[in-house]
């Protein structure tokens, strides 16, 4: 009888800890750097938890397509510049290290490229799955994230790729308030 009671107590404790201990912070604001992306290489980032495990991340920024094979025909004087916004849902899972979680989710990215060359100019819209790790430093109000967003574009300017598998990003955010 005692073994059953102890076993049920441990299971109930484990479930309640997993359900309530998902989030170490509520909101965070900072930057996201994605060197493999030409439309959101630098973005401002805001992340907010809408439940213990669910979070929304919003990014707004830009980038420039500067791949070396485009530098012929005076490309440098016509280098396209893009502005973008994105929204992502992330579901977090606890890792047995304080402040560390992994997440999966998905999102939508919209961008517009401005250029003196019509081949590079235009609107792009993409969807992506995402996954990564999220760490909130216990002693200071800092959150860092590493994520991967392989993006499939539903619409894009003529010379842009239909798929960007190299959209790896690093984020650093200041935590605003606790849980």
């Amino acid at each position: 009888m005692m073994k059953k009671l102890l076993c049920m107590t441990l299971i109930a404790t484990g479930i309640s800890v997993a359900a309530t201990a998902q989030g170490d912070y509520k909101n965070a604001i900072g930057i996201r750097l994605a060197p493999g992306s030409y439309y959101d290489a630098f973005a401002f980032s805001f992340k907010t938890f809408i439940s213990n495990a669910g979070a929304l991340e919003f990014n707004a920024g830009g980038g420039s397509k500067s791949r070396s094979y485009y530098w012929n025909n005076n490309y440098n004087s016509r280098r396209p510049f893009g502005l973008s916004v994105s929204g992502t849902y992330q579901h977090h899972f606890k890792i047995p290290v304080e402040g560390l979680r992994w997440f999966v989710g998905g999102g939508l990215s919209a961008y517009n490229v401005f250029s003196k060359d019509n081949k590079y100019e235009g609107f792009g819209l993409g969807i992506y799955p995402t996954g990564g790790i999220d760490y909130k430093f216990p002693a200071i109000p800092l959150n860092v994230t590493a994520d991967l967003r392989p993006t499939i574009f539903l619409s894009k300017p003529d010379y842009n790729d239909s798929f960007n598998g190299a959209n790896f990003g690093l984020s650093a955010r200041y935590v605003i308030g606790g849980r």
Side-chain angles (χ1 to χ4, degrees):
M1 179 70 170
M2 282 300 278
K3 286 182 182 179
K4 286 182 181 179
L5 182 60
L6 180 61
C7 186
M8 289 190 322
T9 302
L10 288 175
I11 290 172
T13 302
I15 291 171
S16 66
V17 166
T20 61
Q22 294 290 319
D24 298 315
Y25 62 96
K26 173 71 175 156
N27 299 309
I29 190 166
I31 61 168
R32 179 177 186 268
L33 302 175
S37 175
Y38 52 84
Y39 54 90
D40 67 350
F42 175 86
F44 294 100
S45 177
F46 176 73
K47 185 170 182 175
T48 184
F49 279 84
I50 56 174
S51 69
N52 283 335
L56 296 175
E57 181 180 343
F58 301 99
N59 305 116
S64 176
K65 193 167 188 173
S66 60
R67 296 182 181 159
S68 61
Y69 57 85
Y70 287 114
W71 282 69
N72 57 6
N73 288 332
N74 199 21
Y75 174 79
N76 195 29
S77 67
R78 298 173 288 157
R79 180 180 296 173
F81 177 77
L83 293 176
S84 69
V85 294
S86 65
T88 307
Y89 173 78
Q90 302 169 347
H91 190 84
H92 293 74
F93 301 91
K94 193 115 173 112
I95 295 175
V97 174
E98 183 183 358
L100 186 63
R101 295 171 291 200
W102 66 277
F103 63 86
V104 293
L108 179 72
S109 183
Y111 70 95
N112 196 63
V113 176
F114 304 93
S115 175
K116 294 178 184 176
D117 187 336
N118 290 339
K119 294 182 287 191
Y120 301 100
E121 188 171 62
F123 177 76
L125 181 68
I127 57 173
Y128 54 85
T130 187
I133 58 171
D134 182 273
Y135 182 70
K136 160 58 176 80
F137 288 89
I140 58 175
L142 178 64
N143 159 250
V144 293
T145 302
D147 64 37
L148 181 63
R149 297 179 179 176
T151 308
I152 300 167
F153 294 101
L154 306 173
S155 73
K156 64 179 184 56
D158 286 343
Y159 272 62
N160 287 356
D161 300 327
S162 298
F163 177 72
N164 180 7
N167 194 351
F168 172 78
L170 297 172
S171 300
R173 299 182 199 90
Y174 177 76
V175 173
I176 305 167
R179 277 244 172 217

